[in-house]
């Protein structure tokens, strides 16, 4: 989806406090990873959100780079856990209603089997 692919200069224009130096610094820290294309690096909407957050953390909260790396790692883990949870919910949704009922009771702590 090429509508979701922004060149570095587009990203820099979009994110107010972003500079080319800062962008390459985030990439060196491996907390922003552009997609490599024949036209050069491209950033997705998700990357722009990350970059915006990183700039805010750096400017507004004066978070140092070690903490930035940790924060982004935790966010990625949280995002991964959320995706897994959605997969579980979809799997439960595909089950027959009596299994759904049993699972919802168990999750609510009404499980009396043992």
């Amino acid at each position: 989806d090429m509508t979701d692919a922004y060149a570095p200069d587009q990203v820099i224009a979009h994110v107010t406090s972003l500079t080319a130096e800062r962008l390459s610094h985030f990439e060196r820290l491996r907390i922003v990873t552009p997609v490599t294309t024949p036209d050069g690096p491209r950033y997705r909407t998700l990357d722009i959100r990350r970059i915006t957050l990183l700039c805010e953390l750096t400017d507004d909260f004066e978070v140092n780079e070690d903490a930035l790396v940790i924060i982004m790692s935790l966010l990625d883990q949280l995002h991964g856990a959320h995706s897994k949870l959605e997969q579980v919910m979809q799997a439960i949704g595909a089950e027959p209603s009596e299994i759904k009922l049993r699972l919802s009771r168990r999750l609510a702590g009404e499980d009396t089997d043992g």
Side-chain angles (χ1 to χ4, degrees):
D1 185 8
M2 291 320 281
T3 54
D4 189 29
Y6 303 89
D9 53 350
Q10 291 176 299
V11 179
I12 291 163
H14 184 80
V15 183
T16 323
S17 59
L18 186 67
T19 61
E21 294 75 32
R22 189 175 254 189
L23 183 56
S24 54
H25 184 64
F26 291 156
E27 287 174 30
R28 276 198 303 279
L29 291 175
R30 296 211 172 106
I31 47 182
V32 174
T33 311
V35 178
T36 309
T37 74
D39 301 322
R42 291 293 178 267
Y43 301 84
R44 296 152 304 186
T45 307
L46 182 67
D47 297 317
I48 292 180
R49 280 196 219 117
R50 280 177 91 87
I51 291 163
T52 305
L53 175 63
L54 286 164
C55 289
E56 286 170 1
L57 289 170
T58 307
D59 295 337
D60 303 344
F61 301 100
E62 295 168 19
V63 174
N64 70 36
E65 67 178 41
D66 290 343
L68 282 180
V69 171
I70 292 166
I71 290 167
M72 297 319 280
S73 166
L74 290 170
L75 277 176
D76 290 341
Q77 289 175 44
L78 198 59
H79 187 260
H82 187 258
S83 301
K84 275 273 182 285
L85 185 60
E86 281 187 343
Q87 289 170 7
V88 170
M89 294 309 288
Q90 283 173 357
I92 290 171
E95 291 296 323
S97 53
E98 65 272 13
I99 292 177
K100 274 191 259 199
L101 185 62
R102 195 184 314 150
L103 283 170
S104 66
R105 281 185 179 151
R106 184 167 293 171
L107 290 169
E110 298 167 23
D111 188 10
T112 53
D113 292 347

